[in-house]
Amino acid sequence: MGRQVLVTGGTGYIGSHTVVELQAVGFDVVIIDDLSNSSADVVDNIEKISGIRPAFEEFNLLDLAKLEAFFEKYSRIEAIIHFAAFKAVGESVAKPLSYYRNNLVSLMNILDCMSKYKISNLVFSSSCTVYGQPDQLPVTENTPKKDAESPYGNTKAISEEILRDVVKVNNALKVIALRYFNPIGAHPTSLIGELPRGVPNNLVPFITQTAAGIRQQLSVFGNDYNTEDGSCIRDYINVVDLAKAHVIAIDRLINNTNDDRHEFFNVGTGYGASVLEIVNTFEEATGVKVNYKIVDRRPGDVEKIYADTTIANTVLGWKAETSLSDTLLSAWNWEKRLRNIG
Ligand code: UFG
């Protein structure tokens, strides 16, 4: 039997891809998810890809009694990847308390249980949002953090601080925080991918829905930034490549190859692409035109950010592999499967 890993938020977008990659190298994966932003079908589709059905427990991590009962039941868990969190920037501005409660208390409950049930290894989903608009590019892990632009972003910054403080007193605890840049794309089988509820906030789901005719027009938020074509720059990372970084991080923790007990890694490609470049690359990769217009800037957007991935490449031994073009094509194939487009 493989070593057991808990994936919270394992039916979500990044979580589901990570479950598949963990299973591919022999881990026995258990998922906790409350399905607040995902669907139980994802478990079936994970099984279709890997041939293995992960154990799945449906509950909210704010329920400490349920979480304790869970750890009593699954006593072989050696490591946890904690994805489960709310993640919509705009919604977090409207509902700050809901974001702080959900994202912070669930992390604290996990940490309490790790101490109580003697589980040492944690991979935490962090975000490049902790850097804000950095003064220097690309950003390294040591680039000073800036005040968060949103309650959502602040939950990631505070979570990193909580982890820093808890590692100091729980001497058994080892944490790797992965700071994701912009995850996009879908599994090559098109069986799992991103499932935005309602109107997508993120660029690539909006592009694929526009290409599929569900949205009339993509709004490109601003072309007067200080960038080559005037649109914002981000580091778009393929979701399967990102999932693989978690497997490497888990191996690193379990095999004790981490140098200190609290490490951070930028998980990006190192390449900054503009919004217009994403639209053009999507059109070239898929042969489908995207109807778009330039509109005003979106409040709160940073102008440009992309990763220095040297530490992830050398210390973690992970590197992004998939081209932007293949990644955008995978996003389109996923959208086509969802909408039954031939
Ligand atoms: N954009 C558009 N039109 C859209 C949607 C997005 O032009 O309809 C632009 C944005 O202005 C931005 C770029 O596309 O320049 C990327 O926007 P996303 O919303 O896809 O991603 P963000 O970089 O804004 O947000 C991501 C994560 C957040 C995280 C943030 C940290 O989705 O969870 O990075 O910077 F907080």
Side-chain angles (χ1 to χ4, degrees):
M1 218 186 281
R3 306 179 87 143
Q4 200 163 52
V5 177
L6 164 62
V7 179
T8 75
T11 58
Y13 175 43
I14 307 170
S16 58
H17 289 81
T18 301
V19 171
V20 166
E21 296 307 316
L22 287 165
Q23 291 178 321
V25 296
F27 284 104
D28 175 15
V29 181
V30 184
I31 294 172
I32 298 176
D33 203 304
D34 67 356
L35 302 181
S36 59
N37 193 23
S38 60
S39 133
D41 305 350
V42 173
V43 180
D44 301 333
N45 288 333
I46 289 171
E47 185 181 6
K48 280 186 198 146
I49 297 171
S50 66
I52 305 159
R53 191 168 185 83
F56 169 52
E57 301 286 346
E58 183 186 339
F59 65 94
N60 186 294
L61 295 170
L62 299 186
D63 190 334
L64 184 58
K66 278 199 180 138
L67 191 58
E68 289 182 337
F70 169 89
F71 283 110
E72 299 285 349
K73 178 172 171 190
Y74 294 93
S75 56
R76 290 199 307 114
I77 288 173
E78 290 182 52
I80 299 173
I81 307 183
H82 180 46
F83 289 106
F86 291 161
K87 62 165 188 175
V89 175
E91 186 184 58
S92 79
V93 176
K95 300 178 182 171
L97 283 177
S98 157
Y99 270 66
Y100 286 117
R101 183 176 300 107
N102 187 66
N103 292 5
L104 300 180
V105 177
S106 63
L107 173 65
M108 292 190 276
N109 285 346
I110 290 279
L111 288 169
D112 268 339
C113 286
M114 289 184 77
S115 164
K116 182 165 177 187
Y117 295 96
K118 307 211 174 342
I119 301 165
S120 300
N121 306 308
L122 178 67
V123 176
F124 177 69
S125 292
S126 190
S127 166
C128 69
T129 192
V130 299
Y131 300 118
Q133 174 62 70
D135 297 329
Q136 275 194 330
L137 287 168
V139 280
T140 74
E141 287 76 354
N142 301 316
T143 295
K145 293 195 215 165
K146 292 256 180 89
D147 284 350
E149 295 276 351
S150 68
Y152 157 75
N154 209 22
T155 68
K156 293 297 176 189
I158 296 170
S159 293
E160 286 198 356
E161 290 173 355
I162 291 174
L163 290 166
R164 176 199 63 201
D165 294 342
V166 175
V167 160
K168 286 182 192 153
V169 292
N170 177 347
N171 290 327
L173 182 64
K174 294 181 293 173
V175 179
I176 292 181
L178 298 179
R179 291 178 178 156
Y180 313 150
F181 283 69
N182 288 55
I184 61 165
H187 196 267
T189 59
S190 303
L191 284 165
I192 52 174
E194 192 169 5
L195 270 176
R197 279 183 308 175
V199 181
N201 294 307
N202 295 114
L203 177 63
V204 170
F206 209 106
I207 288 177
T208 56
Q209 290 197 7
T210 306
I214 297 156
R215 309 280 155 211
Q216 265 192 344
Q217 192 168 51
L218 167 74
S219 297
V220 171
F221 297 133
N223 69 346
D224 56 353
Y225 286 99
N226 182 25
T227 63
E228 214 161 292
D229 64 25
S231 62
C232 288
I233 289 185
R234 298 286 184 276
D235 186 333
Y236 295 91
I237 172 74
N238 177 280
V239 69
V240 176
D241 288 348
L242 172 58
K244 289 177 179 166
H246 295 79
V247 179
I248 295 173
I250 286 288
D251 275 332
R252 183 173 173 82
L253 291 171
I254 288 180
N255 298 321
N256 269 311
T257 44
N258 51 317
D259 299 325
D260 63 48
R261 292 192 295 111
H262 191 199
E263 294 182 316
F264 307 88
F265 296 103
N266 283 344
V267 191
T269 64
Y271 176 72
S274 74
V275 175
L276 292 171
E277 188 179 348
I278 294 290
V279 172
N280 290 332
T281 309
F282 178 89
E283 291 182 341
E284 279 164 25
T286 62
V288 182
K289 283 272 164 216
V290 179
N291 179 27
Y292 74 86
K293 74 167 181 209
I294 311 284
V295 302
D296 286 349
R297 293 180 176 198
R298 182 171 71 176
D301 263 338
V302 303
E303 182 168 271
K304 45 184 155 182
I305 183 162
Y306 52 96
D308 183 322
T309 60
T310 309
I311 296 182
N313 298 161
T314 55
V315 179
L316 193 59
W318 168 89
K319 201 172 187 331
E321 287 167 350
T322 316
S323 70
L324 188 54
S325 177
D326 285 350
T327 302
L328 290 167
L329 185 59
S330 74
W332 176 231
N333 287 337
W334 161 247
E335 187 73 55
K336 283 201 295 185
R337 183 181 160 272
L338 278 183
R339 314 293 166 191
N340 291 315
I341 299 172

